[in-house]
Amino acid sequence: MPSLFIKKQSAHTLEITKSKAKALLELVFYIVFFVVWYSFLIPDDRGDTFWLTALINEVKQNWVLLLFIVAPVFAISTMLEDYNTLTKGANYTFHKTKGIQFNKRQLAASADLLNVQVRAYTDSDNDTFYRLSLILKKGKHSLDSGSNRNKALDIAEAIAEHMGVEIIYK
């Protein structure tokens, strides 16, 4: 399921939004996954001992378990981003004269947009992911990343054409 899609396009305005359905699916997946993840970490033979006390005792005996307890923390930023997308939305508006806005707050002036970048990353499993970013005078702003090359290119082309900038492929 694509994350970004073009919501509205006119002569002066291009609106791109993130899918709330995808954010909901990801958030539910993470919650279910972590409930199952942590349920396997709690010892079965704890008797009448409180589950947290039993888990602490297990970690005291085997420090490697601490890695399994802390590992899901790395997904918190993705979960918070999905939560914010569900509650506040994630809408980018590109105005030829007014600039770029994110959720009705000014992100950059039109003149500050230098290029749109589509960058390919290949992981250890040889899966390729594409990150769509705005190259601004004051840095880079990541819009989205995913495995759908055509969707990333379509969004990049729409932004570049609307704002009169070039696309950089890396």
Side-chain angles (χ1 to χ4, degrees):
M1 174 180 294
S3 181
L4 283 179
F5 62 93
I6 297 171
K7 184 177 178 181
K8 180 179 154 188
Q9 189 170 12
S10 68
H12 297 288
T13 305
L14 172 67
E15 289 183 32
I16 297 174
T17 190
K18 285 192 177 186
S19 169
K20 288 187 176 187
K22 181 178 182 193
L24 178 64
L25 287 173
E26 286 180 358
L27 194 57
V28 168
F29 169 79
Y30 279 121
I31 290 170
V32 169
F33 178 80
F34 290 137
V35 166
V36 172
W37 176 280
Y38 284 118
S39 69
F40 281 112
L41 291 177
I42 299 170
D44 291 334
D45 58 346
R46 59 186 168 95
D48 290 336
T49 310
F50 183 61
W51 67 270
L52 187 57
T53 306
L55 186 59
I56 290 170
N57 290 336
E58 284 288 323
V59 170
K60 286 179 182 177
Q61 293 173 7
N62 188 358
W63 284 95
V64 175
L65 280 177
L66 190 60
L67 294 173
F68 290 97
I69 292 170
V70 175
V73 169
F74 295 108
I76 288 176
S77 67
T78 304
M79 292 173 66
L80 289 174
E81 183 179 325
D82 288 337
Y83 176 76
N84 284 335
T85 299
L86 282 173
T87 57
K88 299 175 187 172
N91 301 305
Y92 291 93
T93 306
F94 297 85
H95 294 277
K96 289 186 177 182
T97 55
K98 296 179 186 176
I100 305 162
Q101 296 177 338
F102 177 69
N103 288 345
K104 298 183 180 179
R105 287 181 299 165
Q106 191 71 18
L107 183 66
S110 298
D112 291 343
L113 179 62
L114 301 175
N115 295 302
V116 179
Q117 182 183 68
V118 177
R119 186 173 196 144
Y121 293 93
T122 304
D123 65 9
S124 59
D125 295 331
N126 256 357
D127 293 328
T128 305
F129 296 91
Y130 301 91
R131 177 171 292 141
L132 177 62
S133 302
L134 302 175
I135 307 299
L136 305 169
K137 286 183 181 177
K138 296 182 180 179
K140 188 187 298 188
H141 180 81
S142 179
L143 293 177
D144 195 25
S145 62
S147 59
N148 190 335
R149 178 181 186 268
N150 291 334
K151 191 65 178 172
L153 291 176
D154 288 346
I155 299 290
E157 287 172 4
I159 294 169
E161 182 180 316
H162 184 78
M163 299 300 286
V165 296
E166 293 183 9
I167 301 173
I168 299 173
Y169 303 96
K170 286 191 173 185

